[in-house]
């Protein structure tokens, strides 16, 4: 194993992403020259990552060991578990194994990136078994907020390593895919060497409500509403979409779908048999106006306040086909992801101002988590009875609490390992130890650029967003030491130019003197003049305004230079 202290009779497990964070779930299980990868997710950027679309892991360790990777196996189809697949496939072309819905979503992503015909794809079920030369992979059914979720058991020569994926114990799921407790118990009875388990709700001393419970609340709400309903949820939450559509049809409402990802979810859900909705239950957008308000359901994206999603455009009055009407009820059937609360509140306020009645929040019982609380985490631990424990999928405090729960369930504290991305845990039949570290940082995706956004670019974006920019334009002849035109100063996001003429005039005079002085220096260059302008103007503007705008000199060089 490259640069890692793992012995020939040990298995190794590590997170390339997903440890100490929510998102980027990408885990490796390795024995000698075989690696099984589990999931390839993205993380959505925090507010300080200005302009960044997604965050993926640094795949360099995997690239260095690509000949050892036998498979990428997928637990389920959420973005934090499959969003990185196309980016990973661009550097590692390995076979992918996934359940029906996850596979449909992965195919869409690969097609968007022009990779669909070059990647080996295999659809699996919870009964599938994958056999490799030294390791074997089996699956067991779990429940989450999306169909076809599985946990993964990797059978190595030193023992079985189980990765749960995201799960809760929903005994009454609307998709009729209950968790396979018997298989989990069987794995535990035969012996689990190490359990890697979802820690998202480790802080909550609860048993997470069933999706059926949410369905009853939504049915009650539909019974009460006599006008138009706009229902917003995650496009990936097929269970919630099913509940909304079933209630719409029960009340004689036609369904209009808005949002590209929601359209795709409906298509995939119907093709795979999770959504039993006849063609005549749907209505086109242009036919909405001809239907009574109490006979329509608008199903849309935007429950997280995303600015370009259908619901945000409806709230802003910029949607081409829908505007809020008096009496409309908007249902937010999700909770804000951390970091999205402000955006969601803004959309709710705009909807209310436009005359809609908005139903949201826990008080209305219209959402439940897809992740198990402490009681379900303890049940998983009791079923699996692992010798060693590695909490995954959570921030540090969640991982720490999860190890405390494991101790309550019989796993000694020194048999639990809170790890960071890139840390390696080496396992033999009787022992576990830390065995080195590899680089596993963040890679930023901005538009089509991968990894070309670094800390300097982010710092510049932060500066621009907070302090603005001042552009200095001048034409100079360095050979003759002449300023042929300018300098002119333009301000964007720093000061309002029409009301700051005196400040900018004083700044122009300063820059004129700075350029003349810098040109007379013995080894004057364009770069040295630019730096002099930045230094002097920055100091001047801070003295006058106590602000640090970005200074961008644009020097046009004429004539033969020195």
């Amino acid at each position: 194993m490259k640069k890692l202290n793992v012995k020939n009779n040990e298995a190794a497990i590590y997170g390339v992403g997903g440890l100490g964070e929510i998102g980027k779930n990408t885990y490796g299980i390795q024995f000698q020259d075989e690696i099984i990868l589990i999931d390839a997710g993205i993380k959505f950027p925090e507010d300080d990552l200005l302009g960044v679309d997604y965050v993926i892991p640094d795949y360099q360790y995997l690239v260095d060991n690509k000949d050892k990777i036998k498979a990428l196996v997928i637990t389920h189809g959420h973005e934090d578990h499959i969003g990185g697949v196309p980016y990973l496939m661009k550097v590692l072309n390995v076979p992918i194994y996934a359940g029906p819905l996850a596979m449909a979503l992965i195919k869409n992503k690969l097609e968007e990136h022009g990779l669909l015909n070059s990647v080996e794809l295999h659809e699996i079920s919870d009964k599938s078994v994958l056999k490799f030369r030294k390791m074997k992979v089996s699956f067991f059914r779990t429940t989450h907020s999306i169909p076809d979720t599985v946990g993964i058991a990797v059978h190595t020569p030193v023992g079985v390593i189980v990765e749960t994926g995201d799960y809760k114990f929903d005994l009454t799921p609307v998709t009729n895919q209950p968790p396979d407790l018997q298989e989990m118990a069987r794995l535990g009875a035969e012996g689990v060497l190490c359990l890697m388990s979802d820690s998202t709700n480790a802080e909550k001393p609860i048993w997470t409500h069933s999706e059926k419970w949410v369905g009853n609340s939504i049915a009650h709400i539909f019974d009460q509403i006599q006008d138009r309903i706009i229902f917003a949820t995650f496009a990936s939450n097929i269970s919630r979409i099913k509940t909304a559509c079933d209630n719409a049809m029960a009340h004689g409402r036609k369904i209009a779908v808005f949002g590209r990802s929601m359209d795709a979810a409906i298509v995939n859900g119907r093709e795979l048999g999770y959504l039993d909705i006849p063609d005549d239950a749907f209505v086109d957008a242009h036919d909405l106006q001809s239907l009574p308000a109490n006979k329509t359901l608008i199903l849309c994206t935007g429950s997280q306040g995303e600015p370009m999603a259908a619901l945000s455009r409806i709230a802003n009055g910029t949607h081409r086909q829908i505007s809020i009407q008096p009496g409309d009820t908007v249902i937010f059937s999700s909770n804000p992801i951390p970091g999205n609360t402000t955006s969601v509140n803004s959309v709710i306020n705009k909807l209310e101002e436009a005359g809609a009645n908005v139903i949201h929040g826990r008080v209305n019982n219209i959402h439940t988590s897809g992740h198990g609380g402490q009681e379900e985490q303890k049940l998983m631990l009791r079923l699996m009875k692992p010798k060693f424990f590695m909490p995954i999928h959570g921030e540090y405090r969640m991982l720490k609490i999860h190890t405390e729960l494991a101790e309550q369930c019989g796993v000694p504290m020194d048999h639990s390992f809170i790890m960071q991305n890139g840390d390696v845990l080496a396992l033999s039949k009787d022992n576990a130890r830390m065995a080195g570290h590899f680089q596993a940082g963040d890679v930023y995706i901005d538009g089509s650029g991968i990894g070309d956004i670094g800390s300097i670019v982010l710092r510049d974006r932060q500066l621009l967003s907070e302090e603005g920019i001042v552009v200095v334009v001048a034409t100079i002849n360095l050979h003759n030491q002449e300023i042929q035109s300018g300098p002119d100063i333009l301000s964007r996001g720093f000061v309002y130019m029409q009301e700051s003429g005196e400040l900018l005039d004083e700044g122009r005079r300063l820059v004129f003197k700075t350029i003349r002085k810098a040109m007379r220096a013995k080894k004057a260059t364009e770069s040295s003049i630019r730096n002099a302008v930045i230094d002097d103007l920055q100091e001047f503007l801070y003295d006058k305004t106590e602000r640090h705008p970005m200074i961008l000199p644009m020097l046009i060089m004429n004539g033969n230079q020195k």
Side-chain angles (χ1 to χ4, degrees), residues 383-421:
L383 287 168
M384 292 293 177
K385 298 185 287 189
K387 184 174 288 186
F388 301 104
F389 178 60
M390 175 184 163
I392 60 171
H393 197 303
E395 297 174 2
Y396 181 85
R397 66 187 187 280
M398 303 167 188
L399 305 182
K400 184 172 183 293
I401 292 171
H402 207 168
T403 62
E404 294 166 0
L405 298 176
E407 186 178 32
Q408 294 173 28
C409 294
V411 180
M413 186 56 77
D414 62 358
H415 282 209
S416 287
F417 295 86
I418 300 175
M419 294 169 55
Q420 298 178 348
N421 294 329

Side-chain angles (χ1 to χ4, degrees), residues 176-203:
N176 198 30
Q177 293 182 335
D180 192 343
L181 278 72
Q182 291 83 359
E183 180 62 16
M184 297 180 209
R186 188 189 66 78
L187 284 165
E190 292 183 356
V192 171
L193 179 62
C194 185
L195 175 65
M196 304 164 68
S197 187
D198 172 17
S199 306
T200 309
N201 276 348
E203 296 174 289

Side-chain angles (χ1 to χ4, degrees), residues 313-511:
R313 289 185 283 126
I314 294 169
N316 291 326
T318 57
H319 198 286
R320 288 181 300 170
Q321 296 161 309
I322 312 172
S323 58
I324 292 297
Q325 300 172 0
D328 281 353
T329 295
V330 181
I331 300 173
F332 278 75
S333 192
S334 66
N335 287 335
I337 294 172
N340 288 354
T341 304
T342 301
S343 300
V344 171
N345 288 342
S346 174
V347 171
I348 290 172
N349 287 332
K350 288 174 182 175
L351 290 167
E352 293 272 10
E353 287 170 10
N357 173 40
V358 181
I359 298 175
H360 64 96
R362 291 182 178 85
V363 68
N364 294 295
N365 301 336
I366 51 174
H367 182 62
T368 185
S369 176
H371 302 268
Q374 288 183 2
E375 298 308 308
E376 289 144 290
Q377 290 168 351
K378 287 188 282 189
L379 175 57
M380 182 66 79
L381 283 156
R382 288 296 189 188
L383 287 168
M384 292 293 177
K385 298 185 287 189
K387 184 174 288 186
F388 301 104
F389 178 60
M390 175 184 163
I392 60 171
H393 197 303
E395 297 174 2
Y396 181 85
R397 66 187 187 280
M398 303 167 188
L399 305 182
K400 184 172 183 293
I401 292 171
H402 207 168
T403 62
E404 294 166 0
L405 298 176
E407 186 178 32
Q408 294 173 28
C409 294
V411 180
M413 186 56 77
D414 62 358
H415 282 209
S416 287
F417 295 86
I418 300 175
M419 294 169 55
Q420 298 178 348
N421 294 329
D423 286 348
V424 178
L425 183 66
L427 298 161
S428 65
K429 291 181 179 179
D430 300 308
N431 295 296
R433 62 185 181 85
M434 299 302 295
H437 180 86
F438 59 83
Q439 180 62 37
D442 289 344
V443 172
Y444 303 131
I445 296 175
D446 184 358
S448 60
I450 303 172
D452 54 359
I453 303 298
S455 58
I456 294 173
V457 173
L458 289 172
R459 185 194 64 199
D460 286 349
R461 288 179 178 181
Q462 189 72 31
L463 187 62
L464 285 167
S465 71
E466 293 174 354
E467 307 285 0
I469 186 171
V470 171
V471 181
V472 177
V473 183
T475 302
I476 63 177
N477 186 312
L478 187 53
H479 181 74
N480 296 333
Q481 297 182 357
E482 291 177 349
I483 300 176
Q484 296 180 330
S485 69
D488 294 317
I489 293 181
L490 304 172
S491 165
R492 291 294 182 269
F494 171 57
V495 292
Y496 185 46
M497 293 184 67
Q498 289 185 4
E499 296 179 359
S500 305
E502 191 175 325
L503 172 69
L504 297 178
D505 284 342
E506 196 175 343
R508 272 190 287 270
R509 290 192 290 271
L510 170 76
V511 171

